[in-house]
Amino acid sequence: MMATLLSLLRWLGALAAMALLGWLVPEWAAFLLTLALAKGLVVLGLLILWRTGLVSFGQALFFGFGGYAVGLLGGYAGLSDMVLLTALATVGAGLLAALVGLLLARYRDIFFAMLSMAFSMILYGILVKTELLGSTDGFNVVQPTFLGYAPQGDTLRVMIYLWTVLLCVGAAYGVQRYLESTMGQLAPAIRDNELRVEYLGVSVVRIIYVKVIIAGALAGAGGAITAFAVGHIDPDAMTYWTVSGEFVFVTILSGTGSIAAPFLGSILFELIRTYATQYSPYTWQMVLGSSLLLIILFLPNGLWSLFDRLRRPARPGL
Amino acid sequence: MPLLETRDLTKTFGHVTAADRINVSIAEREVIGVIGANGAGKTTFVNMVTGYLKPSAGSILYQGEDITALTPRQVTRRGICRSFQVPQVFMSISLFDNLLVALAAAEQVHPNFWRPLRQRHLLDAAQEIVARYDLGAYRDQQVALLPQGVRKLLDIAMAMAHRPRVILLDEPTSGVSVQEKFGIMEVVMGALRETGVTVLFIEHDMEIIERFGSRVMAFVEGSILADGPPSHVLADEQVRRHVIGEELHRSRRSERGASHA
Amino acid sequence: MLTFIAISVDGLVYSSWLFIVAVGLTLIFGVMKILNVAHGSLYAFGAYTAATLVGLYFNADLPPAGSFVAMGLAALAVGLVLGLALERGLLRFMYDRDPIIIVLVTYAVFLILEDTIVLVWGTSPYYAFQPYALLGNTDVGVLSFANYDLSLVGLSVVVGGALWWGLTRTRSGKLLQAVIHDREMAQALGINVTRFFTVTFVLGAILGALGGAVTAPQISVAPGIGVEVIVIAFAVVVIGGMGSIPGAAIGALIVGMLRATAVHLLPQVELFVIYGVMSLVLALRPEGLFSRAQARKI
């Protein structure tokens, strides 16, 4: 009883702290944080897949779907409520993942990665060639309202930020419960020995299918938020394979040791990106690439493992 | 009605006949030793019964139900489990967690995705298994770091987590030192006897066969040469020639020596 | 009828280009089981180097025919230098790692090289049209095809033929096939797998750079050309079977013809068909890796 109360307090504390942060920091930082947290949602989904030994190079499929769902529903269906649109985008992305997952869940390793990438490029191809969907220019996204209330300027940005924080903390909580559940704890088992898991009476394909759906829904939510925050969507920014590559990069950067890692890693990524591109826009990718290499070579469990190591001493037999 | 039955079970790989019309009938609570040279078809038999290999012909009946076409997952859920020649365990997590996961999988037909894995009753059950198989010293260690003998025990313990009615042990003492062999079998058989499970174990060591089996099946080139009480099968001329070779002579001599002492 | 000819020729030309670009990628994957994302950068480096050399060449007022030699040299130089540097300097330390990690490593290299190109050559596009115009045109009715494009077909046949001959008719080629089948076994038999890996990677790099070099006269060479090439090359390799050179030829043919048909008849689905077929193939026949019999696991 005490444990759950303490845990609840910790979650509420995190929520409050994040919310407060949005009020305290300057406007540009709040925008950055919103984008970073949205990206964090996508990476959270990748974390779930990574623990099972799978890497998706195509999360941009769901990310883009979420963004375009918001853009299209806002533009053509006249909807503007942020809560409603995020929900629709998330559910829609989840359904898309349920469709795509029927195939994807049967593959592993390189083939899983390649197939996911192929699917995301299909969406890219469709969007680029379809005038009705804005083609390569994309289009602007409707300004969000909140349950009837239509904020402007700074208030709008803060509200978007707060909604993002709420979503992220909620998603993190949900994913945490999932990771501690039987299904979540079967992930390293699947990664180690799929055959044995089958012999335990468990369907591996079904579990991976569920993970694909969760990751897809999370990415869709991230895409929806990004669409609102940026106010504009286009295929290159939302569905191109390099976008998926960025998500994977942040996954490696953060490490998969904790559900906070994706968000902290994303924030760090956005900070670095802002300063690196300001300093020299033509060395940004070099910085990215070099960091990725260094992390793979020297810190394979991501930056979180460093943080973890600082927090407590190494335990024998672990 | 026999508990587990195979009828004309056959498996061919191209020109090679790994199993040739095997007819077997197993009753409840039997403890059957399976012997045969390498490649005689013992593991193929187990692979077919548990659904990993599809037979070329014949059928497998469990409690009267035809389970020939079932997958390993479905066979496990029906109540038939197995251990592996090379222990199939989860290397990157602790021994305790291996057991926990096995127990949870056994209990939850569809794995929980919200309630935590580490619930009191599962933790207790896993601890109980640790105690029964005397694995306390290795409880929290990563399985990749554990010796082969411990992994073998873990493999068997995980199979037993399902409380199966039939368990098929594939060479439970292979890869284990001579001193440890009997020890492991004592632990395993002791644990199995408590549950009343039907056991079929593949073994190369004839002393272990004699000690623990109440019935012996001898495989030769895909078919069963002899099937009966150990005293009969192990004395059988054909079996001695094709399966046992010199070993029986040596063990007989040492027995005679011991009875004279 | 005219449309049919246009589609066929365009398709063949595009297929040839695809083959040259993708064959290096499939070779490296077949032998080393590495999906080299940096292949796109090798392509880009090849294009830039060729463009630069061609520019210098024509400024020096040398006989025009030699410009083709210059392009070839560009590809050779890029492939050798970058290929050796990458394989000996980085990849050889990663061979025992998870294949996905190696893909990420090549992705990191790709990112670094993309910016390196901009640092060396700047952001303004380069043009090297001269070799393109040199060969003139062939007219079929109202259709006019550049002979440069048509010669790509010949080049791809030569490259494919040379590779096939090298792999099946020479002793080294047969040893390489052993390495492809089972790396450990080949090592145990005394085959110098390390050297084969280096040679294969450099050869694949040269081929990738060659793809870029022959493309330089056809396009404006600008930052980002490598990015698009990677996914197309992946698609070709997957469709044809990863690690198979005849497969790369078939994959290139399928993708090339499909694209030409789409461009002429239904432009909206141009990109869709390529990745659609890639997905279809992955879904129905992911072989290439699984074509050999699996050893008994339990």
Side-chain angles (χ1 to χ4, degrees):
Chain A
M1 190 58 224
M2 262 321 282
T4 40
L5 197 64
L6 215 65
S7 159
L8 189 67
L9 279 175
R10 234 183 308 177
W11 280 102
L12 289 175
L15 183 62
M18 293 296 297
L20 206 62
L21 195 66
W23 245 299
L24 297 175
V25 298
E27 178 201 312
W28 62 267
F31 175 67
L32 217 75
L33 275 175
T34 309
L35 288 184
L37 290 176
K39 191 181 243 88
L41 276 177
V42 186
V43 177
L44 193 62
L46 280 171
L47 180 154
I48 293 177
L49 289 171
W50 180 276
R51 289 207 177 174
T52 322
L54 295 167
V55 180
S56 163
F57 270 95
Q59 289 307 92
L61 170 68
F62 309 108
F63 183 76
F65 178 89
Y68 269 82
V70 160
L72 290 171
L73 287 172
Y76 291 105
L79 299 171
S80 70
D81 186 70
M82 186 151 189
V83 178
L84 177 65
L85 283 174
T86 319
L88 287 173
T90 309
V91 169
L95 288 172
L96 180 63
L99 183 66
V100 160
L102 290 171
L103 206 56
L104 211 51
R106 302 189 177 275
Y107 296 89
R108 308 283 179 272
D109 304 320
I110 290 278
F111 294 110
F112 184 89
M114 292 263 86
L115 191 57
S116 60
M117 193 216 266
F119 282 140
S120 72
M121 286 306 289
I122 288 179
L123 181 63
Y124 176 79
I126 293 175
L127 289 172
V128 161
K129 293 285 177 182
T130 311
E131 280 305 322
L132 216 63
L133 298 173
S135 180
T136 43
D137 293 325
F139 53 92
N140 288 331
V141 173
V142 70
Q143 205 174 66
T145 60
F146 291 83
L147 308 170
Y149 168 50
Q152 302 296 323
D154 266 5
T155 328
L156 175 65
R157 267 181 279 276
V158 171
M159 293 228 65
I160 294 179
Y161 172 75
L162 288 176
W163 171 240
T164 308
V165 166
L166 195 65
L167 258 184
C168 289
V169 173
Y173 176 72
V175 171
Q176 176 79 334
R177 292 286 313 235
Y178 175 80
L179 291 174
E180 285 170 358
S181 73
T182 308
M183 207 188 268
Q185 294 281 297
L186 276 167
I190 293 174
R191 190 186 56 213
D192 282 349
N193 197 331
E194 267 193 49
L195 181 67
R196 195 62 175 92
V197 175
E198 288 282 331
Y199 263 99
L200 286 180
V202 174
S203 167
V204 171
V205 169
R206 218 174 280 169
I207 292 186
I208 292 182
Y209 183 62
V210 170
K211 290 182 195 286
V212 168
I213 294 177
I214 296 177
L218 285 170
I225 295 175
T226 307
F228 275 126
V230 173
H232 178 89
I233 48 174
D234 65 76
D236 275 295
M238 306 284 300
T239 58
Y240 202 50
W241 73 270
T242 47
V243 177
S244 298
E246 254 182 33
F247 294 140
V248 175
F249 172 80
V250 178
T251 311
I252 310 280
L253 176 76
S254 341
T256 53
S258 135
I259 40 124
F263 297 106
L264 294 174
S266 300
I267 294 175
L268 188 64
F269 178 85
E270 288 298 329
L271 279 173
I272 296 179
R273 197 224 305 260
T274 311
Y275 283 110
T277 45
Q278 260 183 11
Y279 176 68
S280 166
Y282 300 116
T283 52
W284 154 240
Q285 287 183 106
M286 200 177 277
V287 170
L288 249 188
S290 315
S291 329
L292 186 58
L293 256 169
L294 288 173
I295 289 177
I296 291 176
L297 289 172
F298 302 116
L299 213 59
N301 289 321
L303 291 178
W304 184 262
S305 64
L306 194 66
F307 178 63
D308 215 31
R309 236 179 275 174
L310 291 172
R311 271 203 310 166
R312 47 186 157 134
R315 270 187 284 173
L318 252 175
Chain B
M1 180 179 67
L3 181 60
L4 180 63
E5 200 187 337
T6 72
R7 295 183 185 163
D8 285 336
L9 199 58
T10 308
K11 180 67 182 174
T12 52
F13 297 99
H15 299 299
V16 176
T17 307
D20 190 9
R21 279 165 298 158
I22 298 186
N23 286 284
V24 152
S25 178
I26 300 172
E28 281 221 59
R29 294 180 161 266
E30 285 201 79
V31 178
I32 304 169
V34 173
I35 59 177
N38 283 320
K42 313 182 298 293
T43 302
T44 306
F45 176 74
V46 172
N47 282 346
M48 282 194 285
V49 169
T50 55
Y52 180 70
L53 280 179
K54 289 286 157 279
S56 312
S59 58
I60 307 159
L61 288 104
Y62 175 65
Q63 294 182 137
E65 181 199 351
D66 188 329
I67 62 165
T68 321
L70 296 187
T71 61
R73 183 166 46 92
Q74 295 164 313
V75 171
T76 301
R77 292 271 172 214
R78 291 284 193 290
I80 302 175
C81 289
R82 69 166 294 180
S83 73
F84 298 81
Q85 221 170 322
V86 177
Q88 298 296 311
V89 290
F90 306 124
M91 294 292 201
S92 67
I93 56 180
S94 74
L95 181 137
F96 189 77
D97 283 353
N98 266 264
L99 292 169
L100 206 55
V101 156
L103 286 164
E107 173 190 88
Q108 301 155 18
V109 177
H110 294 294
N112 282 340
F113 55 83
W114 191 253
R115 293 178 67 206
L117 170 69
R118 288 165 212 280
Q119 294 172 62
R120 188 77 273 165
H121 71 280
L122 285 174
L123 293 170
D124 288 341
Q127 184 52 43
E128 197 193 14
I129 296 181
V130 167
R132 198 182 314 144
Y133 286 82
D134 200 15
L135 296 168
Y138 311 100
R139 210 195 96 126
D140 294 313
Q141 287 188 41
Q142 197 190 25
V143 171
L145 305 172
L146 296 177
Q148 183 77 321
V150 177
R151 284 194 221 154
K152 283 244 149 179
L153 279 175
L154 176 62
D155 192 32
I156 298 170
M158 283 169 72
M160 286 303 292
H162 274 268
R163 284 195 259 251
R165 291 188 70 189
V166 179
I167 186 161
L168 311 162
L169 305 174
D170 196 344
E171 298 191 30
T173 67
S174 80
V176 165
S177 73
V178 176
Q179 291 104 311
E180 291 179 301
K181 269 183 194 260
F182 268 88
I184 285 185
M185 278 308 275
E186 289 287 0
V187 170
V188 169
M189 285 307 180
L192 296 184
R193 239 174 271 135
E194 278 176 45
T195 60
V197 65
T198 307
V199 182
L200 185 137
F201 65 100
I202 299 174
E203 249 309 326
H204 284 296
D205 189 325
M206 295 308 151
E207 292 184 17
I208 293 193
I209 292 279
E210 285 179 309
R211 169 84 179 80
F212 295 101
S214 58
R215 174 179 160 194
V216 176
M217 282 193 248
F219 273 72
V220 166
E221 285 174 20
S223 35
I224 296 185
L225 192 58
D227 183 357
S231 48
H232 287 187
V233 175
L234 297 180
D236 184 296
E237 187 65 45
Q238 299 273 37
V239 172
R240 282 174 61 173
R241 193 180 312 142
H242 290 276
V243 180
I244 299 173
E246 284 297 297
E247 280 171 41
L248 190 56
H249 280 280
R250 258 189 261 124
S251 81
R252 280 279 162 80
R253 241 178 260 133
S254 67
E255 267 188 318
R256 256 184 258 127
S259 66
H260 279 190
Chain C
M1 184 60 206
L2 227 51
T3 323
F4 178 72
I5 296 179
I7 293 179
S8 309
V9 177
D10 275 347
L12 207 59
V13 167
Y14 191 62
S15 302
S16 310
W17 177 81
L18 278 174
F19 177 73
I20 297 172
V21 168
V23 73
L25 187 67
T26 205
L27 183 67
I28 292 176
F29 187 82
V31 175
M32 304 164 75
K33 306 293 180 276
I34 291 177
L35 203 58
N36 180 22
V37 181
H39 192 78
S41 304
L42 290 162
Y43 168 89
F45 259 96
Y48 269 96
T49 311
T52 311
L53 277 186
V54 165
L56 290 172
Y57 187 86
F58 278 101
N59 280 346
D61 267 328
L62 296 161
S67 63
F68 295 108
V69 177
M71 284 161 55
L73 284 176
L76 208 62
V78 167
L80 268 169
V81 172
L82 279 181
L84 271 174
L86 277 176
E87 201 272 334
R88 290 281 92 198
L90 180 64
L91 288 175
R92 72 165 163 144
F93 302 112
M94 315 245 84
Y95 289 148
D96 55 341
R97 301 277 286 252
D98 190 344
I100 291 279
I101 295 287
I102 304 184
V103 172
L104 290 171
V105 167
T106 59
Y107 176 59
V109 168
F110 164 75
L111 290 171
I112 296 174
L113 289 179
E114 281 293 287
D115 274 357
T116 311
I117 288 177
V118 174
L119 282 179
V120 172
W121 278 285
T123 52
S124 312
Y126 279 70
Y127 301 100
F129 287 147
Q130 300 94 321
Y132 193 75
L134 262 181
L135 298 176
N137 289 350
T138 303
D139 294 324
V140 179
V142 298
L143 300 170
S144 180
F145 299 108
N147 287 336
Y148 185 90
D149 292 335
L150 297 174
S151 66
L152 277 184
V153 181
L155 181 64
S156 66
V157 170
V158 167
V159 168
L163 281 172
W164 175 83
W165 183 85
L167 209 60
T168 54
R169 292 275 183 271
T170 65
R171 187 170 168 277
S172 311
K174 300 212 179 123
L175 291 177
L176 190 64
Q177 289 195 49
V179 174
I180 292 175
H181 274 272
D182 194 326
R183 185 191 303 184
E184 269 188 63
M185 222 28 225
Q187 246 171 343
L189 288 175
I191 296 176
N192 192 340
V193 172
T194 320
R195 197 177 311 146
F196 269 110
F197 272 19
T198 309
V199 169
T200 304
F201 193 82
V202 170
L203 183 59
I206 292 175
L207 288 167
L210 182 66
V214 300
T215 314
Q218 296 174 315
I219 59 171
S220 70
V221 182
I225 53 173
V227 180
E228 294 148 12
V229 157
I230 293 176
V231 264
I232 284 271
F234 279 176
V236 169
V237 165
V238 161
I239 292 173
M242 296 158 103
S244 155
I245 291 175
I250 295 173
L253 214 57
I254 294 177
V255 174
M257 286 305 179
L258 275 175
R259 185 183 167 273
T261 314
V263 164
H264 282 269
L265 299 178
L266 199 67
Q268 293 98 307
V269 302
E270 179 197 337
L271 292 176
F272 175 82
V273 287
I274 298 174
Y275 300 109
V277 175
M278 178 182 176
S279 311
L280 210 65
V281 170
L282 272 171
L284 300 174
R285 257 187 73 96
E287 279 98 72
L289 269 192
F290 299 139
S291 54
R292 49 197 173 111
Q294 292 271 343
R296 211 178 106 169
K297 273 201 297 180
I298 55 170

